[in-house]
Amino acid sequence: MRQATDTSTSADIAPRSSPYRSILGAKLDSLAPALRTMHDRGGSATGRFDVTGGERLMHRLLARVFDLPREGTNLPVHLAVTPSGRRQHWDRTIGTHAFRSVQWDESGTLVEQVGAFRFHFRLSVTDGALHFMQERATWRGCSLPSWCAPTVTAIATGTSDSGWRVKVVIRSAGFGIITRYEGVMEYA
């Protein structure tokens, strides 16, 4: 009879913690309840966003290359955040555009992987708002030079016990704003 072998590591048996809790610690508790819960434990939310793109053809081409949401007003948004160990899977649909990312803490930096891209964010909480400031981007493990890398900044601010406002701007140093989206979300 073959015996079971315990192959767990200390990371496997350590208490589970969201990347946001791991990075922000007690600062996460200063966020509005729904915003804190979504980033700490996951869940689902719905809302409405306005998506605007850059004015030039190059902006629209870059938005396609980076697989960003299409322009529109008052678009329906669905979000599901699923914890998986020390990572979170973020499934978003904006209008008819669906995309998935995985987020984790890497040495105090939030890493978000979308396809072959990885975005590294410094997180902060100021006046109850969660700020995302991108520090670098990689594609297939190679750092992208700042002149061509998409740069993402975002802010999420609680509006009530069950809702929050989001603003995301995606730009390129060489081409300016590629896409921006903003709107309100309600924890489901």
Side-chain angles (χ1 to χ4, degrees), residues 3-42:
Q3 292 210 313
T5 305
D6 183 4
T7 60
S8 63
T9 65
S10 60
D12 293 325
I13 58 177
R16 301 295 186 215
S17 177
S18 77
Y20 292 88
R21 177 66 63 187
S22 178
I23 294 166
L24 295 169
K27 292 177 186 172
L28 188 65
D29 296 327
S30 66
L31 298 177
L35 187 57
R36 177 181 61 244
T37 299
M38 181 60 77
H39 288 83
D40 199 18
R41 288 185 266 157

Side-chain angles (χ1 to χ4, degrees), residues 71-152:
E71 290 187 62
T73 303
N74 200 31
L75 297 173
V77 179
H78 300 277
L79 169 65
V81 178
T82 308
S84 178
R86 293 187 178 270
R87 294 177 180 235
Q88 291 180 334
H89 295 270
W90 286 63
D91 293 293
R92 305 166 181 92
T93 303
I94 301 174
T96 59
H97 183 79
F99 58 105
R100 179 174 227 204
S101 69
V102 179
Q103 300 179 353
W104 65 91
D105 172 13
E106 190 172 282
S107 303
T109 300
L110 180 74
V111 178
E112 181 166 26
Q113 181 166 342
V114 182
F117 289 97
R118 286 187 181 177
F119 301 94
H120 300 252
F121 294 98
R122 179 175 29 89
L123 300 177
S124 64
V125 175
T126 306
D127 297 326
L130 179 57
H131 297 263
F132 299 74
M133 294 299 298
Q134 183 181 315
E135 294 185 326
R136 68 187 184 103
T138 62
W139 182 75
R140 298 193 187 276
C142 298
S143 288
L144 294 172
S146 61
W147 63 269
C148 74
T151 302
V152 180

